[in-house]
Amino acid sequence: MSENNSCAFRTSIGGQALIEGILMRGPLKQAIVCRTEDGLVEKVEPLKFVKDKYPVLGLPFIRGCAIFLSSMVNGMKALSYSASLVPLEQQGEPDKLDKWIEEHFPAEQAQKLIIAVAVVLGLALSVTLFVFLPALLVGWIKPLTRSFLVRNLSEGAFKVAILLGYMKLVSMTGDVKRLFSYHGAEHKTIYCYEHGKPLTVENVRPESRFHPRCGTSFLLVVVLVSVLVNSVVRVSNTFARVGWHLLLLPIVVGISYEINRWCGAHDNWLSAVLSAPGKWLQRITTNEPDDSMIECAIRAMELVIPEEKGSDLWGS
């Protein structure tokens, strides 16, 4: 596997693994390419940026939260679309809430509502696992509450342990293993493009599956930055601490996004140090893909590469 990460340039094109497919998002449009029994299915859509409507949401340290929420919504939509392409006999039964929504709302409105519920539940799970649970566990262990410094560091350690444990646990299931293999195909394809090589399976296959601008790496950066930002909290009550952590969360996300963005644009010792934890996490969240997955990623990439060369330059 190639470990040469010296790129001809850094692209702003990013992606997401789907169920038997890949989402690639370019500067002007996004493409979903999924493998079905009948071959590759393609869906290309123009991108709409919230900062175009509300310019303030494009400012540094503010844009992180806007991009994070937008990515969650778009990611859920893409996952839902890829799931709809799975043969009916392989699809599980929808849960009771989804059934109720489908029965009481028109199809298009029901789909939007189901996506909204999924995003809210995803955020609620994240808050429970990475904000409430660490604060609760540390609050139960009295020796860890004797000083605010020890308490903040202990909560941070629990957050990292929960994140790594959760990722490792879900990576052991068959469906997620394939999802993580598509994730690897996405990274390899982006690296091949950044190295200026023709997008072929033979060229993509030896590339590294560890990329510094990965979205899952961003999650680990959020956890680590939260340890520093939350160090300003000087209250002992667990529920009060959770409240303060939630209030500080937009600041944490904003700083984390800027760190990820800066690391993606630079190639020096500091960017290597800052991006190293995220790359370690990718040893769990990416697997080596097979050639059919690479073909899927290549096609998705081809569909979003802009006609104007260089217009997808990172940071442009």
Side-chain angles (χ1 to χ4, degrees):
M1 179 176 63
S2 171
E3 292 296 338
N4 175 23
N5 295 339
S6 178
C7 301
F9 81 113
R10 292 175 174 82
T11 181
S12 61
I13 296 174
Q16 176 185 332
L18 305 175
I19 299 171
E20 295 302 323
I22 295 279
L23 162 70
M24 285 288 188
R25 187 175 292 111
L28 299 175
K29 55 188 175 180
Q30 70 174 27
I32 296 173
V33 178
C34 294
R35 186 170 293 282
T36 69
E37 294 176 343
D38 300 321
L40 294 182
V41 173
E42 303 173 0
K43 181 181 181 182
V44 181
E45 299 173 312
L47 285 176
K48 297 178 181 178
F49 299 100
V50 67
K51 66 179 182 180
D52 293 337
K53 190 173 182 180
Y54 305 103
V56 68
L57 296 180
L59 297 176
F61 298 101
I62 295 176
R63 60 190 173 189
C65 287
I67 291 172
F68 176 71
L69 290 174
S70 176
S71 296
M72 277 200 71
V73 172
N74 289 331
M76 287 292 184
K77 287 180 180 178
L79 274 172
S80 178
Y81 174 75
S82 67
S84 71
L85 298 176
V86 175
L88 289 176
E89 61 272 14
Q90 297 179 25
Q91 293 184 21
E93 284 291 320
D95 58 39
K96 292 181 179 179
L97 179 58
D98 287 355
K99 280 185 177 180
W100 185 89
I101 292 173
E102 290 172 349
E103 290 171 358
H104 291 80
F105 294 90
E108 186 175 345
Q109 191 176 355
Q111 184 63 23
K112 290 180 179 179
L113 190 54
I114 289 172
I115 296 295
V117 169
V119 170
V120 170
L121 291 177
L123 289 172
L125 176 63
S126 299
V127 168
T128 300
L129 288 178
F130 304 117
V131 179
F132 179 74
L133 185 58
L136 185 65
L137 292 174
V138 172
W140 283 343
I141 306 173
K142 295 305 179 183
L144 300 181
T145 63
R146 289 174 181 167
S147 78
F148 289 121
L149 175 62
V150 172
R151 185 163 190 167
N152 285 324
L153 291 175
S154 300
E155 288 177 359
F158 271 107
K159 289 177 184 179
V160 172
I162 291 170
L163 176 62
L164 295 178
Y166 176 79
M167 289 295 187
K168 187 64 179 178
L169 189 63
V170 299
S171 73
M172 301 168 94
T173 64
D175 289 343
V176 176
K177 281 182 180 178
R178 286 192 63 80
L179 188 77
F180 285 175
S181 292
Y182 274 103
H183 191 192
E186 173 222 326
H187 285 186
K188 284 172 173 280
T189 302
I190 291 174
Y191 255 140
C192 183
Y193 174 64
E194 290 183 322
H195 287 149
K197 300 176 184 177
L199 292 176
T200 65
V201 172
E202 291 72 23
N203 286 339
V204 170
R205 194 186 297 127
E207 294 288 350
S208 173
R209 73 178 200 266
F210 310 123
H211 202 284
R213 296 188 295 281
C214 174
T216 50
S217 299
F218 172 72
L219 294 178
L220 185 55
V221 174
V222 167
V223 169
L224 296 176
V225 169
S226 71
V227 177
L228 297 176
V229 174
N230 291 336
S231 64
V232 303
V233 178
R234 291 289 191 271
V235 294
S236 300
N237 181 274
T238 296
F239 293 99
R241 290 182 67 81
V242 169
W244 273 107
H245 290 176
L246 291 176
L247 287 174
L248 292 170
L249 192 55
I251 297 175
V252 171
V253 173
I255 294 173
S256 301
Y257 176 79
E258 299 304 325
I259 290 175
N260 247 35
R261 187 179 179 89
W262 185 87
C263 287
H266 294 82
D267 187 14
N268 53 44
W269 68 269
L270 182 57
S271 65
V273 169
L274 292 174
S275 61
K279 287 186 176 182
W280 296 336
L281 179 60
Q282 289 174 48
R283 294 187 179 277
I284 299 176
T285 63
T286 64
N287 294 322
E288 288 295 325
D290 60 33
D291 287 355
S292 68
M293 297 172 179
I294 292 174
E295 289 173 355
C296 199
I298 288 174
R299 182 55 186 154
M301 171 67 84
E302 290 173 340
L303 290 170
V304 300
I305 294 175
E307 294 182 5
E308 182 184 347
K309 189 173 181 179
S311 61
D312 61 321
L313 184 66
W314 179 259
S316 62

